[in-house]
Amino acid sequence: MQRRAFLALALPATLAACGADNIWASDEAVRKARYVSGEPPSITLLTVIGIPKGEGGHSALMINGTQRVIYDPAGSWNHPAIPERHDVLYGITPNFKNFYIDYHARSTYWVAEDTIQVPLAVAEAAIRSAEMQGPANKTFCGVSTGQVLRRVPGFEGAPTGFSPLKLRRWFLTQPGVTSKKHMDGDPANNHDVLLRQKNGVVTGYGNDGQLHALR
């Protein structure tokens, strides 16, 4: 089995160590990166959870509507091929989704992927809510994620405190939720993704076990 490796350009070591920013990608960059998934519309809560104590490290949302985005409040993941506007990341292809998860899943953290299928109009409302939220301050990921959800039909009861774990406990009580657990080095959830963040070029293992250029 090939080992996952990441050659990153100045990626910070902390999970959520940056404060509010004013990153605003151009219309052209957002348009060019747009990715439409064939999967049903959905809202996914991504929670980074510490090992072994189980503390909440980070909250984010992956929203699949007419395009797939990740709302990553005060997050530290970035890539030159992924345009960002105030914590909303555009162009989340399957490989970039895997990269985002694998970046956070490490020996000291695992990632909970909790998904609820929703009507397309609800997914679009979630994207609009994320886009209007604005950049989050450091440690406000749980607060901001809850605030985004509260503006979405059916999710009005989301808590808006600082605890990613409290938000996840609430999310798990909602109808139709399905969950995946991503552990670093877990063969069942190892995406075998090798990504080189250099000049925006991404390579990864294909089904034949060989490296290919990916997008």
Side-chain angles (χ1 to χ4, degrees):
M1 178 182 296
Q2 297 94 345
R3 289 177 58 87
R4 286 173 299 167
F6 305 102
L7 303 180
L9 293 178
L11 282 176
T14 54
L15 291 177
C18 53
D21 58 54
N22 288 306
I23 297 174
W24 190 262
S26 68
D27 290 346
E28 174 62 18
V30 171
R31 184 199 62 77
K32 185 177 180 180
R34 182 186 182 94
Y35 172 73
V36 180
S37 169
E39 298 175 3
S42 62
I43 296 175
T44 297
L45 178 65
L46 298 168
T47 310
V48 182
I49 300 174
I51 301 172
K53 295 182 179 181
E55 70 276 14
H58 189 53
S59 291
L61 293 173
M62 184 172 64
I63 309 166
N64 188 42
T66 56
Q67 63 177 315
R68 186 159 66 189
V69 305
I70 287 179
Y71 173 64
D72 190 33
S76 57
W77 184 80
N78 64 82
H79 187 278
I82 298 295
E84 175 184 348
R85 285 183 170 180
H86 288 175
D87 295 335
V88 179
L89 308 173
Y90 297 87
I92 306 301
T93 66
N95 283 294
F96 280 123
K97 171 193 170 183
N98 290 344
F99 188 13
Y100 181 89
I101 291 173
D102 285 352
Y103 169 77
H104 290 87
R106 56 190 71 177
S107 61
T108 51
Y109 290 93
W110 65 277
V111 179
E113 179 185 353
D114 302 309
T115 300
I116 299 175
Q117 292 188 14
V118 297
L120 180 59
V122 173
E124 288 300 289
I127 293 176
R128 291 194 299 271
S129 181
E131 290 175 330
M132 68 182 291
Q133 179 67 21
N137 288 312
K138 180 180 177 181
T139 76
F140 274 69
C141 61
V143 173
S144 297
T145 302
Q147 289 173 345
V148 167
L149 285 172
R150 287 177 72 93
R151 292 191 291 264
V152 179
F155 295 83
E156 295 89 348
T160 58
F162 285 89
S163 171
L165 294 182
K166 183 178 180 180
L167 179 59
R168 183 177 186 238
R169 285 194 293 268
W170 174 85
F171 198 87
L172 289 173
T173 66
Q174 304 309 295
V177 64
T178 59
S179 300
K180 294 180 182 179
K181 184 175 184 178
H182 300 275
M183 302 285 292
D184 182 52
D186 184 346
N189 292 292
N190 188 338
H191 300 117
D192 286 332
V193 178
L194 176 63
L195 296 156
R196 289 192 172 92
Q197 293 200 80
K198 184 176 181 180
N199 299 325
V201 175
V202 184
T203 59
Y205 288 108
N207 293 331
D208 59 1
Q210 302 300 312
L211 281 174
H212 301 276
L214 302 173
R215 175 64 179 88

